[in-house]
Amino acid sequence: MTSQTVDTTGPGDKASAPSDPPPPEGLRGHPWVTLITVAVGVMMVALDGTIVAIANPAIQKDLHASFADVQWITNGYFLALAVSLITAGKLGDRFGHRQTFLIGVTGFAAASGAIGLSHSIAMVVTFRVFQGLFGALLMPAALGLLRATFPAEKLNMAIGIWGMVIGASTAGGPILGGVLVEHVNWQSVFFINVPVGALALLLGLLILLDHRAENAPRSFDIPGIVLLSGAMFCLVWALIKAPAWGWGDGRTWAFIAASLLGFALFAFWETKVKEPLIPLGLFRSIPLSAGVVLMVLMAIAFMGGLFFVTFYLQNVHGMSPIDAGLHLLPLTGMMIIGSPLAGALITKLGPRIPLAGGMLAT
């Protein structure tokens, strides 16, 4: 979370409300063109969340990888993305969201091309981690640019449209991935990011204006990053290895214990450091804490289900990649409808009712 994307004050606190954006200079800095530019970049990150799921069985077969190895293609990406998001937001606040966005776009496209040229599962996983790291630079930078560019009364609408682009990319990922895997090869699933990244880079250089937070951090919580990363890695490693080792095996519980210890040390350290990675005082807010927990559970359910259902459709039912992608469309396609609708409902009703309705529908 960054100071550009989260408002932790009450409705009566006007001091922290977003200031009026500077007037655009032609197309440069224009709110709606800025929205298009950041949407093109973030589209790659969203697309990779689902398009690779369809390609996983083909990657496993071509590179002679184990099921655990293939899991790391997904887990390595999302683990790097999740661990780096907060730090990436602080980098954007300090050095500028435009620069952070452009570096993220360039790095993500380069890592995608490197995966397409890889000849071993280890190389694929390694560059997927780099994809996650650069993808983490894109997400908070995009939100920071939107918040700094749009007036407050239009911000929720802009974020809703931005979410619709993410939903469309997520929905189209399985179908596009199926077409590419079936008629080209699995490498093309990653090569497609190269021209998209080049377009986003060109638009970013021409359109985006630089924005920085006034209260940007002067230092970075390196020990906090290490502790949080280590704790999350141990937890993910235990969950992946548990089916092979057994849930009663000492190695499984050793990694779970290491993960819990890492999270405890991280929480303790965050109370001592001057500029913490995550200000734990934020979680004194029950709505914020509940929202974070719900979003984590939703992400685990959605991406975890997508990963296994893809293997189930192709390896158990013998579907082609395209057929598997079409069968996943009802799940992913509703995100296109839900994102802009949620933006409008939140503006009119506040977050509580749309959140509760979304959870009930899920």
Side-chain angles (χ1 to χ4, degrees):
M1 302 291 180
T2 75
S3 58
Q4 292 281 62
T5 59
V6 176
D7 185 4
T8 59
T9 62
D13 190 343
K14 297 181 180 179
S16 61
S19 58
D20 291 334
E25 307 167 7
L27 288 180
R28 190 171 179 84
H30 191 282
W32 295 107
V33 184
T34 297
L35 173 60
I36 293 172
T37 301
V38 299
V40 172
V42 174
M43 180 175 65
M44 294 190 301
V45 183
L47 190 66
D48 256 49
T50 54
I51 193 172
V52 178
I54 290 293
N56 277 334
I59 296 174
Q60 181 184 26
K61 182 179 179 180
D62 187 41
L63 299 182
H64 308 289
S66 66
F67 189 70
D69 291 336
V70 176
Q71 282 182 281
W72 274 109
I73 296 176
T74 299
N75 290 331
Y77 175 73
F78 283 111
L79 185 61
L81 185 68
V83 171
S84 306
L85 271 175
I86 297 172
T87 304
K90 291 180 179 290
L91 286 171
D93 287 344
R94 173 104 181 252
F95 299 109
H97 294 295
R98 178 179 183 269
Q99 289 86 334
T100 306
F101 180 84
L102 295 177
I103 292 172
V105 163
T106 304
F108 195 94
S112 300
I115 295 173
L117 298 173
S118 298
H119 299 289
S120 69
I121 191 66
M123 292 178 64
V124 171
V125 172
T126 298
F127 287 115
R128 280 287 280 172
V129 170
F130 280 107
Q131 267 193 325
L133 294 174
F134 285 112
L137 293 176
L138 284 170
M139 301 295 280
L143 284 172
L145 287 165
L146 292 181
R147 178 164 179 144
T149 304
F150 276 87
E153 65 274 11
K154 294 183 179 180
L155 181 60
N156 282 336
M157 180 186 298
I159 293 177
I161 295 173
W162 179 72
M164 182 178 66
V165 173
I166 295 177
S169 303
T170 303
I175 297 176
L176 179 60
V179 172
L180 292 174
V181 171
E182 191 166 329
H183 295 291
V184 188
N185 51 39
W186 66 262
Q187 289 90 342
S188 61
V189 165
F190 298 99
F191 284 140
I192 194 174
N193 288 330
V194 176
V196 176
L199 175 61
L201 177 61
L202 177 62
L203 290 174
L205 291 171
L206 297 175
I207 301 299
L208 300 180
L209 290 176
D210 189 26
H211 300 283
R212 306 187 186 199
E214 296 180 359
N215 57 340
R218 297 184 178 181
S219 61
F220 294 95
D221 183 13
I222 302 301
I225 296 172
V226 172
L227 288 171
L228 181 60
S229 302
M232 294 184 69
F233 174 83
C234 288
L235 179 61
V236 172
W237 184 261
L239 294 175
I240 289 177
K241 288 294 185 180
W245 290 345
W247 283 102
D249 190 276
R251 291 171 293 180
T252 301
W253 287 102
F255 275 98
I256 292 177
S259 174
L260 294 176
L261 177 61
F263 282 122
L265 291 174
F266 171 75
F268 175 77
W269 173 257
E270 294 301 279
T271 63
K272 303 298 180 183
V273 68
K274 184 178 180 180
E275 292 187 323
L277 183 65
I278 302 177
L280 297 182
L282 292 174
F283 293 97
R284 293 173 184 168
S285 167
I286 295 178
L288 175 64
S289 300
V292 170
V293 171
L294 289 175
M295 289 303 298
V296 169
L297 294 175
M298 183 73 73
I300 292 173
F302 181 81
M303 297 310 304
L306 191 65
F307 178 86
F308 287 108
V309 168
T310 300
F311 276 93
Y312 178 71
L313 294 176
Q314 294 189 55
N315 291 359
V316 176
H317 284 280
M319 291 185 184
S320 68
I322 293 178
D323 287 339
L326 289 172
H327 277 73
L328 291 171
L329 184 59
L331 170 65
T332 58
M334 288 305 295
M335 295 181 68
I336 303 175
I337 300 173
S339 293
L341 178 62
L345 289 175
I346 289 172
T347 300
K348 186 174 183 179
L349 304 174
R352 180 171 298 181
I353 295 177
L355 179 61
M359 294 300 296
L360 285 173
T362 300

